[in-house]
Amino acid sequence: MGLLARIRWFLACLTDRQTPWTGKLLVAVALLYMVLPFDLLADTVPVLGWFDDATVALILGTLAYRLVPKEVAERLAREIGGKKS
């Protein structure tokens, strides 16, 4: 599944009724961390500023993915046209 398909999958998880609230919370926090102006390391620091954004989003995204029931993950992947998760 490509990057855009994964982003669409996570957004679909936010609106799906079968996604546990803990998974929704982690997805929301990851998305907010990526777009809000405060970071662990400022984005003005070359490379490291972007690396911390990617690392935090990856960790939170992985945790959220593990909290989504397998049946829901596969259904959402089919709905957005990605491969089975």
Side-chain angles (χ1 to χ4, degrees):
M1 191 180 323
L3 178 62
L4 291 177
R6 288 181 195 271
I7 292 170
R8 289 179 33 211
W9 184 87
F10 280 114
L11 291 174
C13 284
L14 285 174
T15 59
D16 191 83
R17 291 179 184 252
Q18 293 179 320
T19 301
W21 70 270
T22 51
K24 290 180 181 185
L25 178 65
L26 287 174
V27 169
V29 169
L31 292 172
L32 285 174
Y33 186 81
M34 292 297 290
V35 294
L36 290 177
F38 55 88
D39 291 327
L40 295 175
L41 293 172
D43 287 341
T44 57
V45 178
V47 180
L48 293 178
W50 299 316
F51 182 72
D52 81 312
D53 288 348
T55 302
V56 169
L58 179 66
I59 292 169
L60 293 174
T62 301
L63 290 172
Y65 181 79
R66 290 181 181 184
L67 291 173
V68 176
K70 184 177 180 178
E71 300 80 28
V72 176
E74 290 175 351
R75 178 177 49 81
L76 291 175
R78 282 191 306 272
E79 287 176 6
I80 63 168
K83 296 177 185 174
K84 275 191 170 184
S85 300

